[in-house]
């Protein structure tokens, strides 16, 4: 399968905030770091087009700043809705975060050790 990995940021740039908005062409991507993984979501919430990068990370979910929909980091689903926030495949190599906007996540590829993030 062909992949289209795009370099986004270093782990240091993602930093202690654990969230960051980046542009990939015409697509805004919200990056989140939780535990030992990096997640990539389409930045604009499917509900009200609010920036998820401005939301809150809590208990494995990103909470939209608009109406507090809580999207699961692993699936992109909001448990009380039938809608799914688009998510993207992520990989980390040599402390650099890459995203492939054409692929769904494979979380085996996103694991990073806590030492890599500091």
């Amino acid at each position: 399968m062909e992949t289209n990995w795009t370099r986004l940021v270093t782990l240091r740039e993602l930093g202690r905030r654990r969230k960051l908005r980046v542009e990939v062409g015409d697509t805004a991507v919200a990056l989140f770091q939780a535990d030992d993984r990096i997640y990539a979501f389409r930045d604009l919430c499917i509900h009200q087009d609010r920036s998820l990068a401005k939301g809150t990370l809590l208990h494995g979910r990103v909470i939209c700043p608009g109406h507090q929909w809580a999207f699961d980091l692993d699936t992109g689903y909001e448990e009380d809705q039938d809608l799914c926030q688009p998510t993207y495949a992520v990989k980390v190599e040599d402390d650099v975060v890459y995203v492939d906007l054409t692929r769904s996540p494979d979380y085996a590829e996103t694991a990073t050790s806590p030492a890599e993030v500091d």
Side-chain angles (χ1 to χ4, degrees):
M1 177 187 340
E2 187 174 328
T3 59
N4 299 296
W5 295 110
T6 301
R7 182 189 192 281
L8 296 183
V9 297
T10 65
L11 291 175
R12 183 175 293 282
E13 290 169 316
L14 183 56
R16 298 195 189 284
R17 291 182 312 223
R18 302 182 314 140
K19 57 186 182 175
L20 184 66
R21 180 178 190 219
V22 294
E23 301 285 332
V24 179
D26 294 336
T27 304
V29 175
L31 291 177
F32 301 99
Q33 184 221 338
D35 298 321
D36 64 347
R37 292 187 174 164
I38 307 295
Y39 301 87
F41 280 62
R42 186 182 77 182
D43 186 47
L44 294 179
C45 175
I46 56 174
H47 178 222
Q48 286 203 331
D49 288 337
R50 299 289 297 268
S51 173
L52 290 180
K54 293 181 180 178
T56 303
L57 283 175
L58 184 66
H59 306 299
R61 300 186 180 286
V62 58
I63 301 170
C64 176
H67 280 97
Q68 285 69 53
W69 282 20
F71 297 100
D72 183 270
L73 288 173
D74 285 322
T75 65
Y77 279 100
E78 206 291 336
E79 70 181 31
D80 295 328
Q81 305 297 326
D82 291 331
L83 301 173
C84 182
Q85 183 69 25
T87 59
Y88 307 114
V90 174
K91 72 176 180 177
V92 177
E93 290 182 352
D94 299 324
D95 292 335
V96 176
V97 178
Y98 296 85
V99 69
D100 183 341
L101 300 181
T102 66
R103 290 182 50 204
S104 297
D106 175 1
Y107 291 109
E109 295 182 55
T110 64
T112 59
S113 71
E116 290 178 297
V117 177
D118 288 335

